[in-house]
């Protein structure tokens, strides 16, 4: 694909879609339907983080950017851990470009996975990832029940945000209760001053509409979410050293704030859910 605003390239067996207009650039791996980079030209600073040790050969999910988790989140698939792939099976599929459209300041692409059926989910469904690149990055994950029976699913836009130093970061706008994976899923209250000082793996159980990541005193990332039921906050801290696709100190440059459905969303035949995350 070659046009004014869109072009593709292939590297190490992965096809990438590059979007560039007058206000921003964006890079998407069609392996996984995976947004890897969003750089507004007003400051030329990437909002997203990709691990320098990420596998970029199509053999494993990519660490960083915005992995698409569907039709379950983490290992919440009703079977023993390891029986099915964590976060579902869409992030290891090749996605196709269904539609593109662009003006000078807003470019849109619609991506679709090769299949939405796999072990653990045999229902009739369609999925689209709509990516809009302008002054902000908007990603909409649309799930439709195309069958004759209801089904339930979970999903997430598992976004890794780029920060210079995690010790300078404060999250603002989170509230309510969260489930703490590190404390055997104990239900705890959101801290008033939300800073990251160690490993964090939390599912905030509110449809919080907006969160701000203060990267330092003069810089921030704004996140707006809709049609979700949770926000997930994750940083592996020194646990990064045990991961083959992260180096021991890369936890200092990233934090995940994930727009998610983790409490189960039921769709009746013909119904749709359009979960959206906007990053500015």
């Amino acid at each position: 694909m070659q046009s004014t605003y869109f072009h593709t390239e292939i590297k190490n067996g992965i096809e990438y879609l590059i979007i560039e207009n007058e206000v921003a650039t964006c890079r998407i791996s069609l392996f996984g339907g995976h947004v890897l980079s969003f750089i507004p030209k007003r400051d030329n600073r990437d909002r997203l983080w990709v691990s320098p040790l990420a596998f970029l050969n199509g053999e494993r999910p990519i660490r960083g950017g915005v992995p698409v988790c569907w039709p379950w989140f983490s290992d919440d698939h009703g079977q023993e851990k390891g029986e099915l792939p964590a976060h579902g099976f869409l992030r290891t599929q090749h996605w196709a470009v269904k539609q593109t459209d662009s003006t000078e300041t807003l470019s849109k692409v619609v991506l679709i996975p090769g299949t939405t059926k796999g072990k653990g989910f045999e229902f009739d469904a369609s999925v689209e990832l709509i990516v809009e690149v302008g002054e902000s990055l908007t990603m909409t994950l649309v799930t439709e029940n195309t069958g004759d029976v209801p089904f339930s699913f979970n999903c997430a836009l598992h976004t890794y945000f780029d920060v210079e130093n995690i010790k300078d970061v404060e999250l603002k706008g989170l509230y309510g209760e969260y489930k703490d994976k590190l404390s055997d899923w104990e239900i705890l209250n959101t801290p008033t001053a939300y800073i990251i000082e160690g490993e964090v793996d939390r599912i905030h159980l509110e449809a919080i509409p907006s969160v701000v990541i203060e990267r330092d005193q003069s810089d921030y990332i704004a996140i707006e979410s809709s049609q979700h039921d949770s926000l997930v906050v994750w940083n592996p801290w020194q646990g990064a050293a045990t991961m083959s696709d992260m180096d021991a100190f890369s936890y200092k440059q990233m934090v995940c704030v994930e727009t998610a459905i983790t409490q189960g969303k039921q769709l009746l035949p013909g119904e749709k859910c359009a979960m959206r995350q906007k990053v500015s």
Side-chain angles (χ1 to χ4, degrees), residues 9 59 102 145 176 183 209 218 247:
E9 62 183 32
E59 294 180 0
S102 191
N145 184 341
S183 300
S218 61
D247 67 54

Side-chain angles (χ1 to χ4, degrees), residues 32 34 61 64 95 98 109 140 146 157 159 215 238 251 262 267:
H34 196 129
W95 291 55
K98 178 181 178 182
V109 61
T140 307
T146 59
L157 293 169
T159 310
R215 297 198 278 193
Q238 294 180 1
Y251 72 88
T262 67
L267 289 182

Side-chain angles (χ1 to χ4, degrees), residues 6-263:
F6 304 91
H7 73 272
T8 56
E9 62 183 32
I10 297 176
K11 185 177 181 180
N12 295 329
I14 292 182
E15 185 176 10
Y16 297 94
L17 175 65
I18 294 89
I19 303 170
E20 181 170 7
N21 55 40
E22 290 191 358
V23 297
T25 62
C26 178
R27 184 177 180 89
I28 303 172
S29 164
L30 295 185
F31 171 70
H34 196 129
V35 179
L36 298 174
S37 176
F38 169 63
I39 305 176
K41 293 183 178 180
R42 64 180 181 270
D43 59 15
N44 290 314
R45 188 170 179 184
D46 208 328
R47 299 304 187 262
L48 306 180
W49 176 89
V50 175
S51 170
L53 299 182
F55 290 91
L56 295 172
N57 56 11
E59 294 180 0
R60 292 178 54 176
I62 298 170
R63 174 76 65 186
V66 190
V68 177
C69 307
W70 188 97
W72 54 80
F73 179 77
S74 187
D75 293 302
D76 188 15
H77 42 57
Q79 300 191 34
E80 291 294 323
K81 184 176 180 179
E83 286 289 317
L84 296 171
H87 294 314
F89 47 80
L90 292 192
R91 63 193 186 127
T92 53
Q93 286 191 32
H94 180 80
W95 291 55
V97 176
K98 178 181 178 182
Q99 176 187 341
T100 61
D101 187 31
S102 191
T103 66
E104 294 178 348
T105 58
L106 184 64
S107 304
K108 174 181 174 181
V109 61
V110 181
L111 303 175
I112 55 174
T115 182
T116 56
K117 283 189 177 182
K119 186 177 180 182
F121 189 88
E122 299 289 346
F123 297 98
D124 292 316
S126 69
V127 171
E128 292 182 344
L129 179 65
I130 304 170
V131 181
E132 297 169 275
V133 179
E135 293 286 354
S136 301
L137 170 69
T138 302
M139 297 164 288
T140 307
L141 187 63
V142 182
T143 303
E144 181 179 7
N145 184 341
T146 59
D148 299 322
V149 297
F151 64 74
S152 294
F153 71 101
N154 289 329
C155 63
L157 293 169
H158 192 316
T159 310
Y160 291 71
F161 290 99
D162 181 82
V163 299
E164 285 191 5
N165 190 333
I166 190 65
K167 292 183 179 180
D168 295 331
V169 168
E170 182 174 356
L171 304 181
K172 295 190 173 182
L174 290 160
Y175 56 81
E177 295 181 330
Y178 67 87
K179 293 196 298 184
D180 192 338
K181 184 177 180 180
L182 305 181
S183 300
D184 195 27
W185 299 115
E186 183 180 3
I187 303 294
L188 300 171
N189 290 318
T190 296
T192 303
Y194 206 125
I195 57 178
I196 310 294
E197 299 180 297
E199 184 179 359
V200 171
D201 198 344
R202 300 168 176 173
I203 300 177
H204 290 264
L205 301 170
E206 299 276 356
I208 298 168
S210 60
V211 174
V212 170
I213 303 173
E214 285 195 352
R215 297 198 278 193
D216 55 48
Q217 292 183 346
S218 61
D219 185 72
Y220 68 92
I221 299 173
I223 307 160
E224 298 176 31
S225 306
S226 61
Q227 297 299 305
H228 60 310
D229 66 17
S230 311
L231 283 177
V232 179
V233 177
W234 180 71
N235 183 294
W237 210 252
Q238 294 180 1
T242 68
M243 301 177 183
S244 61
D245 54 0
M246 287 185 74
D247 67 54
F249 302 103
S250 57
Y251 72 88
K252 296 180 180 181
Q253 281 80 52
M254 54 73 61
V255 65
C256 286
V257 179
E258 311 164 33
T259 301
I261 295 172
T262 67
Q263 301 172 65

